Amino acid sequence: MRIMSHVLSPSDVTEVGGIPTVTAPLAALTTAPGVTFFRRVGLFDAVLWDGRVTHGDLLALLDSWPSLGGRAGTLAALERARRGAQTYFETVSRLVLVGQGLPEPQLQVPIYDEDGLIGYVDMYWDDLAVIGEADGAVKYVDREVLIAEKRREDRLRARGFGVVRWMPEDLRENPERIAARIRLAARRRAA
């Protein structure tokens, strides 16, 4: 199999439904030069999600494609990619909030209390003791899911964490406000 002028190795190909296709890492790498920076990071976050692929794997793959265009932008996106972003919205949220001067959060951190696992939080700033939740409206269409999420948040707050939530429109329209709310939650926690 050949892509443009590059001969694929067997490790570059997998089967999906009996159809030969390139692997997810290679698909992300060869797609990256044609998309925006945030989408590049999102592609790499998705590939890194389950831990089977590492940054080192992606860099080695990039090195095996020396004529691939957009190398500088791809390397910059790889530097910002992280394991743990469950959705593209979480990737964008992390990038925007770091751009607002917040430190890099930990992603998908398990939080426990005396009753066991409360859940995995989207973002956690350990030094601030603040949890960030990048919420999509689709998640809460069911009343039972909304009630369970409120109980989960109560348990997180009972552990002493500040919890800040935002929706896509909040991030798009006023990321400064979200960053300010995270800083305020940290100050309240520290007081």
Side-chain angles (χ1 to χ4, degrees), residues 28 31-45 70-82 88 91-92 94-96 98-99 104:
T31 301
V35 299
T36 66
F37 179 76
F38 278 22
R39 291 202 185 279
R40 287 180 192 195
V41 176
L43 285 168
F44 298 135
D45 279 0
R71 188 174 196 84
T74 297
L75 284 169
L78 275 169
E79 287 177 15
R80 298 299 305 275
R82 303 287 181 269
Y88 178 64
T91 295
V92 171
R94 176 175 54 85
L95 294 172
V96 167
V98 168
E104 184 81 30

Side-chain angles (χ1 to χ4, degrees), residues 42-106:
L43 285 168
F44 298 135
D45 279 0
V47 171
L48 295 169
W49 165 251
D50 65 7
R52 290 183 295 169
V53 176
T54 67
H55 278 89
D57 296 333
L58 289 170
L59 288 169
L61 186 58
L62 180 61
D63 286 344
S64 74
W65 285 70
S67 61
L68 185 66
R71 188 174 196 84
T74 297
L75 284 169
L78 275 169
E79 287 177 15
R80 298 299 305 275
R82 303 287 181 269
R83 180 176 179 217
Q86 201 168 32
T87 66
Y88 178 64
F89 179 47
E90 290 177 20
T91 295
V92 171
S93 292
R94 176 175 54 85
L95 294 172
V96 167
L97 293 172
V98 168
Q100 290 294 316
L102 289 169
E104 184 81 30
Q106 296 174 49

